[in-house]
Amino acid sequence: GAIILVHSAKGAERLAQLAGDRLAGLRAVVISLAAAAPLSGVGLSRIDIAAEPNEDALLQALSTTLV
């Protein structure tokens, strides 16, 4: 299935506003807890949060999700 990569809380808010329940069943990898919060009610099947709020940790979380 599709995985959405979210780089910021502001981006997550906008994504939730624009896509809403069309995200249901998809997975997301986000850069921080703040970026996860706006997505918590849109029906994603899973939200993985980077260990640290930086690009390297985000990509590491993505690679872990793909395994």
Side-chain angles (χ1 to χ4, degrees):
I3 299 173
I4 301 163
L5 197 61
V6 180
H7 294 261
S8 70
K10 187 174 182 177
E13 289 171 9
R14 190 71 174 139
L15 180 63
Q17 289 172 352
L18 293 174
D21 27 337
R22 288 178 284 182
L23 300 172
L26 301 178
R27 295 165 67 180
V29 178
V30 301
I31 200 161
S32 65
L33 284 171
L39 301 174
S40 65
V42 297
L44 290 165
S45 66
R46 180 173 165 172
I47 300 174
D48 292 312
I49 303 168
E52 298 178 37
N54 62 56
E55 189 74 15
D56 289 337
L58 179 65
L59 294 176
Q60 179 61 41
L62 174 62
S63 69
T64 301
T65 298
L66 294 174
V67 174

